[in-house]
Amino acid sequence: MPDLLQSEVLPETSDNVLDIRDLSINYGTPRGELQALRHVSMSIGKKKIVGIVGESGCGKSTLISAIIRLMASNATVQSGEILFKDQDLLGLKEKQMRALRGIDISMVFQDPMQTHNPVLTIGRQMVDIQYRDKLSKANKKKRAAGMLALVGIPDPEARLNQYPYEFSGGMRQRIAIAMALMAKPDLLIADEPTTALDATLEVQIIKRLEELQDEIGCSILFISHHLGVIAELCDEVVVMYAGEVIEQGSVRDVFHNPAHPYTAALLKCDPGHIKEKTRNLPTIPGEVPDLVDLPSGCIYQQRCTKGFARCQSERPAFRQINGSHGVACHLTETDLSKETSQQNEEGITS
Amino acid sequence: MNALLEIEDVFVSFGVRGKGLTGKRGSIDAVSGVSLNIEQGKTYGIVGESGSGKTTLAQAVTGLHHASEGSIRYRGQELRDLPEAKFRPLRSEIVMMFQDPIGSLSPRLTIRSLITEPFRIQGMKDRDLDAEASRLLKMVGLPQEFANRYPYQISGGQARRVGVARALALEPKLLIADEPTAGLDVSVQGEMLNLLARLQDELGLAIMIITHNLNVVRHITDTVGIMYLGKLVEEGPTEEVFANPQHPYTLALLAANPEPDPDAKLMRIELKGEPPSILQRPSGCEFHNRCPFVQANCHQDVPQWSNSELGGAHRCHYPQIWKNNQVV
Ligand SMILES: Nc1ncnc2c1ncn2[C@@H]1O[C@H](COP(=O)(O)OP(=O)(O)O)[C@@H](O)[C@H]1O
Ligand SMILES: [Mg+2]
């Protein structure tokens, strides 16, 4: 009964698997507090694939470490909540969190060796993660072999008896995906899972992820600095810059009509876009601001070619521009807005 | 006129403990019969995935590995089996650029010391190192005050510039750049490639650029060679290879960097299985077991080089097979 009562009192429970609201995280450093994430909000719907793009240091890994609650020891949460199926992960006891991790929320990292235990066979590890299932050991082994076959490992039964080092990098990453999905999680978090792999292996991983997501029906949070892969795989995309979410929306909206000058510049720089031969490739001049000593106003202003006075004094609020497409930029609040969405040429020298 | 660098049918072998049942010592060819020429002032891109032998080939050119067969000639002079004493003076002309100049060098040295170290290594004590440092920083577009900074005080993109400055300190004729943009964000990657292009124009450098990302070489190379299992499988003028790839592997690499557009018609080619081990080279065409367009005779018949009309060459029995096939 209390459950019923509660659902009447609480606002409607959302359809989202994950809701991050106003999350801010600092790292304590000898130079002072490094504000790695500032007022980050985003959500992941059921069965959706959401991509986070942003250049190195923008806070992608920090965000993930907060979701799975494996933060660096010098990290502190300044504000916000992370709702997973409507409970705040930041408020869970470590024991409760451990029960979720790897089961309801599972991870694939850039380096698959981070996932695998080097001294145990792959089969043993894949049986171990099924500890909550009441299957016989033989059946668990069978399931493990089936999963390996699903990610394209030939001769899976025999391969179960091998150790991680006996597999190639591409295979290890596919096995990591197989293991992450064994438990049929609600949310799979993949942090640059293809960055260390060759391009042709990346294609394999992306295809397997697509197939498995379809089959298992989980949501995926996919982190990458590779825009093409995000466009191919994801439904929605979140663009981060220097610790803030500066734009988010459907992949189509964001990639076709980037509203933030940074997103537009980033798209312009992608080598996949530049077909005609040039000895002068587009770049984004300038440097990312120092997160220990933040500038006032907009976080992108020093590199933005469309800035005006207000950008230096006032931080732009994140606002919806249509449907689910949102942006944090003063330009979209002024008459300039139409101009920006048509030009998409901001902040680039070429 | 001869090319600046002529590589002819080069093999680089490594001894290995035999894997199979016998446990015998055998040898593998990491580079297995590569021929290519690099002209003065031109850029040659070698593209292939990890383990394809790119770096080994580069190291054979710089004398770090011994070529077991073939010939490597620099300005007509044979480098293979050249004694170290005779190789030394060439080390200021043929220079390898560090992939990660900061990670591989002492964090306690200032940028000034890092970029002028080649003068000290070559025993050029008479040089005014401050003046050289200032010249080099200017050349790669870094502010003068960077001379006094330490590696941890600069960004990843700036670190690569330091690497370029250091490599070019001795005014080489041939620069070998191994994955010069690996790990860089796209916004910085362009800077690095623009810098190399500019320096090449200014200094008349020949550059051999090694990468696994075909898109990296598109704008700055004159010629590309596509490497698979220690052999070239396609070579040609860069624009030609991009416009008209002949070999399915080249096509797969070209398709590997998808356009950032959800509505782009994707031509992603999924290669079957894993790259085979060079311990057990496949029979026939060595790409046959991964080729999405494999035909019966590819299993036994070794494809020879054939030229295409527009200056390129390839080793495939069925060039551009995807054009007359529904498989894609
Ligand atoms: N343990 C830490 N201590 C101090 N600073 C950190 C720590 N981890 C990350 N940072 C800093 O936080 C910022 C965000 O880093 P990160 O989340 O790793 O970004 P990304 O994954 O997008 O590359 C960067 O400025 C990084 O240097
Ligand atoms: Mg990261």
Side-chain angles (χ1 to χ4, degrees):
Chain A
M1 282 318 276
D3 272 346
L4 273 179
L5 269 177
Q6 262 195 0
S7 63
E8 276 179 30
V9 179
L10 282 172
E12 250 183 278
T13 52
S14 71
D15 263 348
N16 293 332
V17 169
L18 193 76
D19 259 306
I20 298 176
R21 294 183 189 158
D22 192 43
L23 183 67
S24 301
I25 291 180
N26 284 6
Y27 290 111
T29 77
R31 294 171 50 229
E33 289 288 296
L34 185 149
Q35 302 181 49
L37 290 182
R38 297 176 313 280
H39 310 290
V40 165
S41 296
M42 61 167 291
S43 55
I44 304 175
K46 285 209 177 79
K47 298 191 187 177
K48 290 279 187 238
I49 308 187
V50 176
I52 301 184
V53 284
E55 301 184 277
S56 42
C58 73
K60 304 180 296 290
S61 295
T62 302
L63 182 62
I64 289 170
S65 71
I67 299 172
I68 58 177
R69 285 263 309 269
L70 292 173
M71 284 183 274
S73 57
N74 59 336
T76 51
V77 176
Q78 302 293 310
S79 71
E81 51 188 13
I82 300 177
L83 301 175
F84 174 70
K85 298 200 285 185
D86 301 313
Q87 61 181 333
D88 186 3
L89 296 181
L90 294 175
L92 291 188
K93 296 209 172 64
E94 176 51 31
K95 198 174 145 211
Q96 295 169 296
M97 195 60 215
R98 221 177 298 139
L100 283 179
R101 214 184 283 136
I103 307 287
D104 300 283
I105 303 178
S106 57
M107 290 86 65
V108 178
F109 297 104
Q110 178 174 336
D111 174 11
M113 287 315 258
Q114 232 176 307
T115 316
H116 304 309
N117 183 332
V119 301
L120 299 179
T121 63
I122 288 295
R124 169 78 191 279
Q125 296 182 51
M126 293 185 78
V127 165
D128 285 355
I129 5 175
Q130 304 175 61
Y131 73 96
R132 289 214 306 205
D133 294 328
K134 291 182 181 59
L135 286 172
S136 70
K137 192 158 171 228
N139 276 332
K140 286 182 180 173
K141 263 203 142 144
K142 229 179 174 167
R143 248 192 98 206
M147 205 67 194
L148 284 188
L150 213 55
V151 294
I153 306 291
D155 203 7
E157 248 114 88
R159 290 295 224 164
L160 283 178
N161 299 320
Q162 293 187 314
Y163 292 87
Y165 71 87
E166 295 180 78
F167 295 86
S168 70
M171 281 192 181
R172 280 201 292 260
Q173 195 56 296
R174 276 181 282 149
I175 295 170
I177 290 174
M179 285 173 60
L181 293 175
M182 271 315 287
K184 298 213 160 96
D186 298 297
L187 175 64
L188 173 71
I189 300 177
D191 188 4
E192 312 235 11
T194 59
T195 302
L197 296 178
D198 282 329
T200 59
L201 295 175
E202 174 178 79
V203 182
Q204 290 181 342
I205 300 281
I206 300 292
K207 296 252 191 252
R208 286 304 88 75
L209 260 183
E210 273 177 331
E211 287 165 13
L212 289 171
Q213 192 261 349
D214 205 39
E215 193 164 310
I216 290 170
C218 59
S219 305
I220 300 182
L221 180 60
F222 187 89
I223 285 81
S224 179
H225 62 260
H226 194 159
L227 297 160
V229 171
I230 297 274
E232 182 177 11
L233 182 71
C234 301
D235 304 301
E236 283 155 39
V237 60
V238 174
V239 185
M240 290 184 67
Y241 181 77
E244 292 178 17
V245 171
I246 54 104
E247 181 161 5
Q248 60 182 303
S250 74
V251 166
R252 199 160 275 112
D253 281 347
V254 173
F255 283 24
H256 284 176
N257 293 306
H260 198 287
Y262 175 67
T263 314
L266 206 55
L267 282 165
K268 260 282 154 75
C269 292
D270 193 285
H273 249 169
I274 309 154
K275 297 276 193 275
E276 53 308 327
K277 191 170 166 95
T278 168
R279 305 232 339 146
N280 198 1
L281 291 159
T283 62
I284 306 178
E287 299 285 326
V288 178
D290 182 357
L291 299 185
V292 173
D293 184 17
L294 288 167
S296 59
C298 172
I299 190 69
Y300 188 59
Q301 59 161 289
Q302 293 141 321
R303 302 173 82 180
C304 188
T305 54
K306 296 255 157 165
F308 49 103
R310 191 171 162 203
C311 305
Q312 286 161 34
S313 55
E314 190 187 328
R315 179 181 186 266
F318 194 89
R319 56 178 60 224
Q320 299 305 125
I321 47 178
N322 67 64
S324 65
H325 189 181
V327 64
C329 177
H330 288 312
L331 284 170
T332 53
E333 297 165 38
T334 68
D335 294 337
L336 292 165
S337 63
K338 286 189 205 90
E339 206 184 308
T340 38
S341 57
Q342 278 157 17
Q343 284 189 353
N344 307 337
E345 301 212 8
E346 305 77 10
I348 316 164
T349 57
S350 116
Chain B
M1 206 199 94
N2 286 345
L4 184 70
L5 184 75
E6 297 162 291
I7 298 178
E8 204 179 312
D9 211 18
V10 161
F11 285 74
V12 180
S13 311
F14 295 111
V16 287
R17 208 156 9 108
K19 247 201 156 175
L21 300 165
T22 59
K24 274 198 312 236
R25 268 187 72 85
S27 77
I28 54 166
D29 298 328
V31 174
S32 180
V34 169
S35 302
L36 61 89
N37 288 339
I38 304 180
E39 312 281 336
Q40 187 162 350
K42 299 283 188 202
T43 303
Y44 191 110
I46 296 181
V47 185
E49 298 183 282
S50 35
S52 62
K54 309 177 298 284
T55 302
T56 310
L57 178 66
Q59 290 175 337
V61 173
T62 52
L64 291 174
H65 279 312
H66 169 77
S68 39
E69 279 178 53
S71 162
I72 301 172
R73 292 184 300 277
Y74 172 76
R75 296 180 143 181
Q77 180 184 9
E78 180 61 62
L79 300 185
R80 203 184 132 214
D81 296 329
L82 195 67
E84 176 55 31
K86 290 205 170 146
F87 213 119
R88 171 152 302 160
L90 292 178
R91 291 197 197 282
S92 59
E93 294 192 30
I94 306 173
V95 167
M96 186 121 174
M97 197 167 90
F98 280 94
Q99 206 180 96
D100 174 13
I102 296 308
S104 50
L105 295 166
S106 168
R108 273 174 307 223
L109 293 181
T110 59
I111 303 300
R112 177 190 288 105
S113 313
L114 284 175
I115 59 181
T116 55
E117 197 174 18
F119 296 109
R120 287 192 295 276
I121 293 173
Q122 286 286 333
M124 300 181 182
K125 296 199 191 76
D126 50 334
R127 296 285 182 117
D128 176 350
L129 294 185
D130 283 345
E132 294 290 354
S134 146
R135 173 182 70 87
L136 289 167
L137 286 172
K138 189 159 169 235
M139 183 171 76
V140 297
L142 289 174
Q144 292 295 316
E145 62 267 24
F146 268 51
N148 298 321
R149 292 210 187 165
Y150 289 90
Y152 62 87
Q153 294 172 313
I154 66 179
S155 73
Q158 292 162 344
R160 298 302 166 99
R161 286 175 185 263
V162 169
V164 175
R166 184 183 150 97
L168 297 183
L170 301 174
E171 296 170 47
K173 302 276 185 302
L174 173 64
L175 176 71
I176 301 178
D178 193 354
E179 300 283 6
T181 63
L184 290 181
D185 286 315
V186 283
S187 68
V188 190
Q189 189 172 306
E191 274 177 31
M192 185 68 192
L193 296 174
N194 292 344
L195 174 67
L196 286 177
R198 174 170 69 76
L199 291 173
Q200 165 160 54
D201 293 343
E202 286 174 16
L203 308 174
L205 266 178
I207 303 180
M208 174 168 164
I209 181 164
I210 295 172
T211 175
H212 68 269
N213 184 346
L214 198 41
N215 285 284
V216 165
V217 301
R218 177 169 212 159
H219 302 284
I220 72 160
T221 62
D222 302 288
T223 311
V224 286
I226 311 292
M227 204 155 168
Y228 187 75
L229 287 189
K231 295 187 167 81
L232 290 182
V233 297
E234 179 158 4
E235 185 193 64
T238 305
E239 281 174 272
E240 181 55 23
V241 171
F242 274 83
N244 279 307
Q246 304 287 324
H247 198 289
Y249 183 60
T250 310
L251 181 71
L253 291 179
L254 271 175
N257 198 357
E259 228 185 296
D261 176 353
D263 295 334
K265 234 186 103 220
L266 279 181
M267 247 264 272
R268 292 273 250 174
I269 310 292
E270 189 181 356
L271 299 182
K272 306 176 196 169
E274 300 287 313
S277 155
I278 45 176
L279 283 167
Q280 289 167 320
R281 290 182 172 275
S283 59
C285 170
E286 293 186 349
F287 187 59
H288 84 252
N289 58 336
R290 301 188 74 204
C291 183
F293 313 107
V294 61
Q295 305 291 307
N297 67 320
C298 301
H299 296 257
Q300 317 91 30
D301 301 344
V302 178
Q304 303 302 319
W305 281 106
S306 15
N307 296 322
S308 55
E309 309 91 75
L310 292 152
H314 58 84
R315 280 204 265 198
C316 175
H317 293 303
Y318 300 95
Q320 299 202 320
I321 183 171
W322 54 91
K323 289 206 167 157
N324 46 40
N325 199 305
Q326 302 300 314
V327 192
V328 186

